[in-house]
Amino acid sequence: MARLNQKEKINKLIIHTIIIIGGLTMLFPFAWMIITALKSYGESIMIPPTLFPQEIRLDNFQKAWNALPFIDLYTNTLLLIFWRVFFALVTSSMAGYAFGRIEFPGRNVLFSIVLIQMMLPPQIFIVPQYLMVAKLGWLNSITALVFPGLVSAFGTFLMRQFYKGIPKDIEEAAILDGCNHFTIFRKIMLPLSKNNLVALAIFTALFAYKELMWPLIANMSLEKMTLSSAIASLKGQYDTEFPVVMSASFIAMWPMLLLYIVFQKHFIQGIAFTGSKG
Amino acid sequence: MRVKSVNKQKASNYFWGYVMSAPSIIGLMILNIIPFFYTIYLSFTESDGLSAPTFVGVENFTRLASDSEVWLSVMNTLYYTVLSVPLGVFLSLLFAVFLNNKIKGVSIYRTIYFLPMVVAPAAIAMVWKWILNSQYGILNFLLSKLGIDNIGWLINSKMIIPSLAMVTIWSTLGYNLILILAGLKNIPETYYEAADIDGANGVRKFFHITIPLVSPMLFFVLITSLMAALKQFDYYYIMLDPSNPAIDKTQTILYLFYEYAFTINEKGYASAIVLLAFVIIMVFTALQFWMQKKWVHYE
Amino acid sequence: MKRLLSLMLVVLMIMALVVGCSNDADQKGEATGKVDTKQDESKEDTKEEAKDPVELTFSIWDNNQKEGMEAVAAAFTEQNPHVTVKVEVTPWNEYWTKLEASAVGNSMPDIFWMHTNEFFKYATNKKLMPIEDDMIDQSKFSQGLVDLFTYEGTLYGVPKDFDTIAIFYNKELFDAAGEAYPDDTWDWDKLVEVAQALTDVENGIYGLGAPYQSQNGFYPFIYQNGGTVITEDGKSGYALPETQEAVQFYFDMIHKYKVSPTLEYFAENGTNDTFTSGKLAMFITGSWKMKSFSQNEIIADKFDVAVLAKGKERASISNGLTFSGANDTEHPEEVRAFLEFAATEEAHIIQGKSGAAIPAYENTQSYWVELFPDYNVNVFVEMLDYSVPFPTTPSKPKWGEVESSTLKAFGTGELAAEDAFPYLAEEMDKILEKE
């Protein structure tokens, strides 16, 4: 018995070591980002680089804060995330349910449209979607930002995987009672997939947050842009001030990080096939 | 009577199947499928993007077939995919299994592994560019302490693809890990307890319980990683300078597409290239769906 | 089968829809020169009366120049109180993607910068507002600059600024090596000689940078050697021995004279950071760098500029930008008024004082020169006398790509001269022929 414990301890130790090494690898670029953000411009391009800032320059954060209209950017990013999440939740949960649990002719053909969207490179959508937004007169607005993400192929696929995992017997009783699928969806499945929807929401939010090209194309002014694309626009044609860009990135990552930390528990539970436990 | 109610049931199924999938499908048709058909149309034309396209038949495709630049980019894309996807999914699975243990501070670790997801892509690119700089980067600095000579991570045409695959794995590990972890959380303890009674060891348990039960999520992760890898463009675009002489030898198919579409202004040929990319992605995805029957277990 | 047929039908319908739409839009744009449909909600209310407030959008790609452009816009608003101009910056790459998309969708910004790289595409598709002779006085601008933006006899933009290429050098490194600063007596031999004297490989210091750049790289050398990129009869200049010799000389800096880091090095570190961090004694680049270098806390007191060294003859490259207007703008009158204003001495003085670029209007360059009293910036203006306009043709995007991939391979030593030049000349000729 004692021996087993010993073995277990060694196992734990190995696992711990690997996790810590992995964690340090994950953290290292962040450490470097923060270190760079604290350096003066001169020091940031020093050859060879200094490991720790010779003098700590907090004014980079000041500069970054002044360089971009962060209040607008936070607002736009949050609005974009809110609407994208809202639409993704509504459309993807319904479609995911239909593809995962309802038998209907043409289901596979229609589902293949979802897969096709996922297979297509996003670059081919930019110009046509721009034309649609322009025709509709939505350029330079939050609507323009939200538009390409009104529906989510990724979300539909994800929700389909969830619903497919739920055992058949859960709804059998309801079907015998003569309930239609929409009622089952609303009364049984949606409550079951509450956590799943949180997961979908977080993924949608992350993708919206990371979107780079579309906000730059659809919206002209900095005041109408999102955090990620505004940071990309800091890189001018000729110049890059690393410390300022790093500071700006640091300022920009907090909302998403907080969102993740707050919802972490739901998030992980959410991706699990909660249904199969019942 | 019974037959009638079954028919009625069927009709109701059909109705709700269409109605519930309609918003997504209509949205996808307008936002994505129409542009897709427009791309197909463009691939049979010549256009600079502004002038009206002129029809040229299959000229773009015959050119494509004999264009060594295109096939090199296809090989590069596949190479990048082979380097980034299996290792990436494996590492995500490994760390997910580890983080599924009851370990002190596990939620802190999860947060750390998830960190790359919340950083703006431009920032990721810049940090890594600086870390991987061959002369002054911190990575080569550390390696030199181990007696390893300068490695041109982002300039040597043999190293660029592995380097970018590495950055990809780093930046997507947390995302894949969370998905798989959630799948693991779903496996009832009782399965393992039963296996313990049978005297199964850890490896056996992993392959006979963990893998099959987490397989739907693993499949999802695999499919999405595969598609993302075959569509790789971003890191090339933001991490490599256009003056880099190695770009021509290491570019992916979508980078080549972007060049033709937006730098050289040959929309027709660019569309043909992107359709080739689409066909390749489709083949791989179809292969995955076909193979899933062998290893993915749905309830 | 039936399903397949219906699917095909849907496909055809969709295609007809899309194609129909874009044709429709094209015709509209061409026939009337403007679009009646409202593209932007904010502009809706401006049609009723001419003096209703109008907001024009003005799109640029350089953050350094935002303030200068806003100053020009403010001065314009002072004279035309009902018109405000909003300056918007989009990074270079996305700028062109966006401009193209907006041109297709007839929703271009009212005013925008145009660059020689992309000029022909927009000019041939009638997306630019023609600058009629009565709008501006062309004689106030250098002919070379006007020619760069003239297509089939019509000028399509108001010359905004010009740039020329000069030697930027690090005085500290020159002093340390006991070398005299570059001046107008220098020729190619002297350039190499001093570059070699300044190179100190052990400490990672190089005498003269030779990155893969055309305008601020090997182009000036080509013209200094009596060569050309495009011959007068519209063929590739890379078949000429003078051109080949000059390109060879340029990349010899890396391989033969060993005074420059490799192309790979510059792909990673860029010339600017290398120069700023004191690892590069000389490199050639354009006047557009003056503002940021002179404000850079590290390099500002350590550098100066000099004319390019003389080859068989003197030459620099001049390029420029224009203020261009959208042909399909909803406010043609206001845009025309702005362009007319942009062509005045006043606008160019304001621009010159902002320091980002040398104003194009004659005799306003001194306002820019005065901003840099500590530097020999007069050379940029002097060199205009013998500068060659940036070589470009309508198929530049295509041959530029061949040029860059071939010469990059040549510059790394992977392709030999006898393979690179004949191939490049032949491929370029094929593309040029189709124009």
Side-chain angles (χ1 to χ4, degrees):
Chain A
M1 208 59 201
R3 208 182 233 168
L4 201 71
N5 263 340
Q6 189 84 15
K7 209 179 152 193
E8 229 165 53
K9 261 187 190 157
I10 291 173
N11 271 346
K12 274 236 153 107
L13 197 72
I14 293 173
I15 291 176
H16 248 172
T17 318
I18 296 177
I19 294 177
I20 289 172
I21 291 173
L24 288 178
T25 318
M26 298 311 281
L27 272 182
F28 176 69
F30 289 95
W32 199 238
M33 180 171 127
I34 293 164
I35 288 170
T36 311
L38 293 172
K39 287 179 178 176
S40 68
Y41 170 63
E43 199 186 340
S44 81
I45 59 166
M46 199 112 86
I47 299 166
T50 48
L51 273 183
F52 294 101
Q54 290 164 339
E55 57 164 330
I56 294 200
R57 292 277 290 257
L58 289 168
D59 58 331
N60 290 324
F61 289 95
Q62 187 70 42
K63 255 192 192 168
W65 183 263
N66 292 337
L68 295 174
F70 272 101
I71 303 290
D72 289 329
L73 297 176
Y74 282 132
T75 317
N76 296 339
T77 309
L78 289 178
L79 279 174
L80 168 69
I81 286 174
F82 175 81
W83 286 112
R84 285 271 177 100
V85 166
F86 173 78
F87 282 108
L89 287 183
V90 173
T91 57
S92 299
S93 62
M94 285 202 304
Y97 177 80
F99 289 128
R101 299 199 80 90
I102 308 180
E103 298 268 352
F104 59 96
R107 181 175 75 163
N108 289 339
V109 175
L110 291 180
F111 185 64
S112 69
I113 289 180
V114 175
L115 289 177
I116 286 175
Q117 195 274 352
M118 293 179 73
M119 286 185 257
L120 288 170
Q123 289 85 355
I124 70 164
F125 306 138
I126 288 180
V127 173
Q129 286 177 351
Y130 179 92
L131 294 182
M132 294 180 211
V133 171
K135 276 233 158 79
L136 293 164
W138 290 343
L139 287 175
N140 246 340
S141 65
I142 298 293
T143 321
L145 290 182
V146 177
F147 181 70
L150 283 180
V151 292
S152 162
F154 171 87
T156 305
F157 189 21
L158 189 72
M159 294 310 284
R160 170 192 182 257
Q161 296 297 87
F162 292 153
Y163 288 125
K164 255 180 116 73
I166 298 175
K168 280 255 175 331
D169 46 319
I170 283 191
E171 71 206 34
E172 244 155 42
I175 289 184
L176 285 181
D177 285 351
C179 293
N180 67 35
H181 269 293
F182 191 70
T183 318
I184 298 171
F185 170 71
R186 212 162 43 89
K187 294 259 170 72
I188 303 174
M189 292 296 171
L190 268 190
L192 264 183
S193 53
K194 219 186 291 165
N195 282 332
N196 302 349
L197 293 172
V198 172
L200 175 62
I202 293 201
F203 278 127
T204 311
L206 279 176
F207 293 150
Y209 169 76
K210 290 205 140 190
E211 200 159 15
L212 190 65
M213 200 89 140
W214 177 252
L216 284 172
I217 303 281
N219 283 357
M220 291 278 194
S221 49
L222 216 44
E223 292 77 30
K224 291 280 166 58
M225 256 172 224
T226 59
L227 288 163
S228 289
S229 47
I231 286 167
S233 76
L234 266 188
K235 288 175 63 195
Q237 190 193 353
Y238 303 110
D239 288 293
T240 310
E241 258 193 76
F242 291 113
V244 177
V245 180
M246 292 299 135
S247 310
S249 309
F250 188 74
I251 299 173
M253 67 183 246
W254 283 101
M256 292 313 292
L257 191 60
L258 289 177
L259 194 70
Y260 170 75
I261 291 172
V262 169
F263 285 104
Q264 182 178 213
K265 210 175 138 205
H266 294 279
F267 183 34
I268 291 175
Q269 282 172 358
I271 314 170
F273 304 99
T274 41
S276 62
K277 270 183 182 158
Chain B
M1 188 62 202
R2 201 180 151 78
V3 174
K4 212 175 177 185
S5 95
V6 167
N7 275 343
K8 217 175 138 195
Q9 177 69 41
K10 256 193 182 165
S12 157
N13 282 357
Y14 293 179
F15 176 76
W16 287 111
Y18 292 123
V19 167
M20 289 174 77
S21 59
S24 286
I25 294 299
I26 293 170
L28 291 174
M29 288 297 277
I30 294 172
L31 288 166
N32 307 111
I33 303 299
I34 292 178
F36 175 49
F37 283 117
Y38 186 61
T39 305
I40 294 178
Y41 160 73
L42 274 184
S43 71
F44 293 101
T45 67
E46 201 179 286
S47 163
D48 67 2
L50 289 186
S51 53
T54 44
F55 190 74
V56 294
V58 294
E59 197 185 280
N60 289 322
F61 292 95
T62 48
R63 178 176 166 198
L64 187 79
S66 60
D67 190 340
S68 58
E69 198 186 13
V70 170
W71 297 105
L72 180 64
S73 75
V74 170
M75 294 317 289
N76 290 335
T77 311
L78 295 181
Y79 180 45
Y80 166 83
T81 306
V82 166
L83 286 183
S84 64
V85 175
L87 184 61
V89 173
F90 170 76
L91 285 177
S92 320
L93 179 63
L94 186 77
F95 283 107
V97 170
F98 287 164
L99 290 182
N100 196 28
N101 284 315
K102 287 185 183 74
I103 293 174
K104 241 188 229 157
V106 75
S107 73
I108 292 174
Y109 285 121
R110 278 182 209 149
T111 309
I112 288 174
Y113 279 83
F114 198 71
L115 267 180
M117 288 300 290
V118 300
V119 193
I124 291 185
M126 256 181 281
V127 172
W128 275 101
K129 240 166 113 168
W130 205 222
I131 291 173
L132 295 175
N133 186 297
S134 64
Q135 311 276 326
Y136 319 111
I138 194 83
L139 187 59
N140 273 356
F141 177 74
L142 296 175
L143 288 176
S144 72
K145 301 269 172 210
L146 301 172
I148 297 171
D149 254 3
N150 249 355
I151 299 175
W153 299 103
L154 294 176
I155 48 174
N156 182 333
S157 59
K158 293 200 173 61
M159 287 314 299
I160 287 179
I161 295 175
S163 305
L164 294 184
M166 185 170 82
V167 176
T168 308
I169 291 173
W170 176 84
S171 63
T172 54
L173 183 79
Y175 154 78
N176 290 337
L177 180 151
I178 295 285
L179 281 169
I180 297 173
L181 187 64
L184 291 174
K185 285 259 170 277
N186 203 37
I187 301 173
E189 277 294 317
T190 50
Y191 283 45
Y192 291 107
E193 283 157 15
D196 281 338
I197 291 167
D198 291 347
N201 65 17
V203 178
R204 242 185 105 82
K205 278 190 277 184
F206 180 73
F207 283 106
H208 285 95
I209 300 172
T210 312
I211 292 283
L213 288 176
V214 82
S215 62
M217 199 43 93
L218 213 50
F219 175 68
F220 183 80
V221 166
L222 199 62
I223 286 274
T224 47
S225 314
L226 194 72
M227 287 175 175
L230 293 169
K231 287 195 280 188
Q232 174 53 251
F233 164 75
D234 292 12
Y235 289 131
Y236 279 79
Y237 181 66
I238 42 185
M239 285 180 72
L240 301 183
D241 191 86
S243 75
N244 195 325
I247 281 194
D248 291 332
K249 275 174 244 137
T250 55
Q251 63 194 348
T252 59
I253 187 151
L254 276 191
Y255 189 85
L256 189 69
F257 155 77
Y258 183 85
E259 240 177 31
Y260 272 104
F262 295 106
T263 314
I264 312 180
N265 280 327
E266 289 193 50
K267 303 287 172 196
Y269 193 48
S271 303
I273 293 174
V274 87
L275 287 179
L276 175 68
F278 172 71
V279 168
I280 292 170
I281 297 169
M282 198 167 65
V283 167
F284 275 88
T285 310
L287 217 61
Q288 286 299 318
F289 267 86
W290 178 70
M291 286 193 335
Q292 73 161 328
K293 292 187 186 107
K294 298 210 158 58
W295 66 278
V296 179
H297 298 260
Y298 292 108
E299 291 272 330
Chain C
M1 193 61 207
K2 216 168 153 192
R3 194 183 288 163
L4 206 69
L5 266 176
S6 60
L7 192 73
M8 276 176 63
L9 208 73
V10 171
V11 171
L12 281 175
M13 273 165 56
I14 289 163
M15 275 174 65
L17 194 80
V18 173
V19 178
C21 285
S22 61
N23 282 347
D24 191 32
D26 277 355
Q27 280 161 9
K28 223 191 270 171
E30 273 166 35
T32 60
K34 56 187 150 184
V35 173
D36 301 318
T37 45
K38 289 158 251 158
Q39 307 284 352
D40 196 322
E41 288 166 48
S42 66
K43 294 172 186 166
E44 263 178 60
D45 50 349
T46 58
K47 295 213 165 163
E48 317 274 292
E49 247 184 77
K51 290 294 173 192
D52 271 0
V54 170
E55 189 184 79
L56 301 178
T57 49
F58 179 14
S59 208
I60 67 174
W61 62 74
D62 184 2
N63 233 337
N64 281 323
Q65 298 203 38
K66 193 176 182 209
E67 272 171 46
M69 290 304 105
E70 278 168 348
V72 172
F76 172 71
T77 302
E78 218 162 89
Q79 296 179 7
N80 303 270
H82 71 293
V83 190
T84 49
V85 180
K86 196 164 187 310
V87 180
E88 280 150 356
V89 187
T90 310
W92 172 263
N93 275 325
E94 288 77 17
Y95 181 89
W96 296 108
T97 312
K98 175 148 104 186
L99 195 65
E100 180 191 303
S102 66
V104 177
N106 294 309
S107 58
M108 286 176 104
D110 303 295
I111 308 151
F112 47 90
W113 285 356
M114 187 38 68
H115 190 268
T116 42
N117 275 353
E118 302 267 345
F119 166 68
F120 286 106
K121 177 169 147 189
Y122 290 90
T124 52
N125 287 298
K126 301 196 166 46
K127 294 295 179 189
L128 307 176
M129 184 181 275
I131 307 297
E132 280 128 31
D133 293 340
D134 59 341
M135 277 171 71
I136 71 167
D137 183 358
Q138 287 194 16
S139 67
K140 299 291 183 191
F141 301 94
S142 98
Q143 193 56 42
L145 204 50
V146 170
D147 287 346
L148 279 172
F149 293 94
T150 298
Y151 172 71
E152 291 183 345
T154 310
L155 177 65
Y156 286 99
V158 173
K160 174 188 164 293
D161 61 44
F162 69 85
D163 47 60
T164 53
I165 309 296
I167 296 176
F168 282 66
Y169 62 95
N170 184 324
K171 291 192 285 190
E172 224 176 48
L173 292 176
F174 270 78
D175 294 343
E179 292 289 337
Y181 300 151
D183 57 34
D184 58 4
T185 64
W186 279 32
D187 57 12
W188 282 14
D189 294 336
K190 178 78 178 168
L191 183 69
V192 173
E193 186 195 312
V194 177
Q196 281 173 323
L198 291 165
T199 302
D200 176 0
V201 177
E202 232 158 77
N203 291 313
I205 293 168
Y206 290 90
L208 175 66
Y212 183 85
Q213 292 291 348
S214 55
Q215 184 186 0
N216 43 330
F218 49 86
Y219 276 9
F221 288 89
I222 291 177
Y223 290 92
Q224 285 159 13
N225 201 40
T228 181
V229 178
I230 302 286
T231 63
E232 267 167 33
D233 51 352
K235 290 208 148 108
S236 169
Y238 286 103
L240 305 173
E242 293 86 355
T243 307
Q244 298 178 1
E245 221 174 79
V247 177
Q248 178 79 57
F249 176 72
Y250 182 78
F251 289 119
D252 276 348
M253 299 300 163
I254 303 169
H255 302 292
K256 187 169 161 195
Y257 306 119
K258 303 196 189 313
V259 296
S260 166
T262 58
L263 296 190
E264 289 90 345
Y265 177 97
F266 282 124
E268 262 191 321
N269 300 295
T271 43
N272 298 337
D273 287 346
T274 314
F275 183 64
T276 310
S277 55
K279 298 286 168 183
L280 193 57
M282 290 184 279
F283 78 120
I284 69 168
T285 191
S287 42
W288 61 82
K289 284 306 302 176
M290 278 311 298
K291 189 176 181 186
S292 62
F293 278 151
S294 68
Q295 290 175 354
N296 184 303
E297 49 184 303
I298 313 162
I299 199 73
D301 338 321
K302 294 184 199 159
F303 87 100
D304 206 344
V305 291
V307 291
L308 293 179
K310 188 179 172 215
K312 286 180 193 155
E313 47 199 271
R314 287 208 167 277
S316 180
I317 303 286
S318 69
N319 202 348
L321 306 180
T322 56
F323 297 98
S324 285
N327 208 9
D328 57 15
T329 173
E330 284 171 61
H331 310 290
E333 259 172 61
E334 285 80 5
V335 170
R336 197 164 291 133
F338 182 87
L339 292 178
E340 280 171 15
F341 176 74
T344 60
E345 189 172 9
E346 185 192 349
H348 284 257
I349 291 173
I350 296 170
Q351 206 208 143
K353 283 181 177 167
S354 77
I358 311 177
Y361 196 92
E362 84 177 356
N363 300 329
T364 58
Q365 289 80 25
S366 58
Y367 291 94
W368 181 81
V369 170
E370 277 165 17
L371 286 174
F372 306 101
D374 303 333
Y375 307 93
N376 192 18
V377 287
N378 237 325
V379 296
F380 290 110
V381 183
E382 280 166 27
M383 280 188 292
L384 195 60
D385 290 340
Y386 49 80
S387 281
V388 181
F390 183 66
T392 179
T393 76
S395 62
K396 165 79 205 279
K398 288 181 193 169
W399 60 255
E401 193 61 26
V402 183
E403 181 190 41
S404 106
S405 61
T406 315
L407 292 185
K408 270 195 260 171
F410 174 66
T412 56
E414 193 185 319
L415 262 184
E418 57 268 30
D419 298 325
F421 292 118
Y423 171 79
L424 174 55
E426 193 187 322
E427 291 295 309
M428 261 179 83
D429 280 343
K430 269 192 235 163
I431 294 166
L432 286 165
E433 238 167 64
K434 280 191 204 156
E435 269 182 14

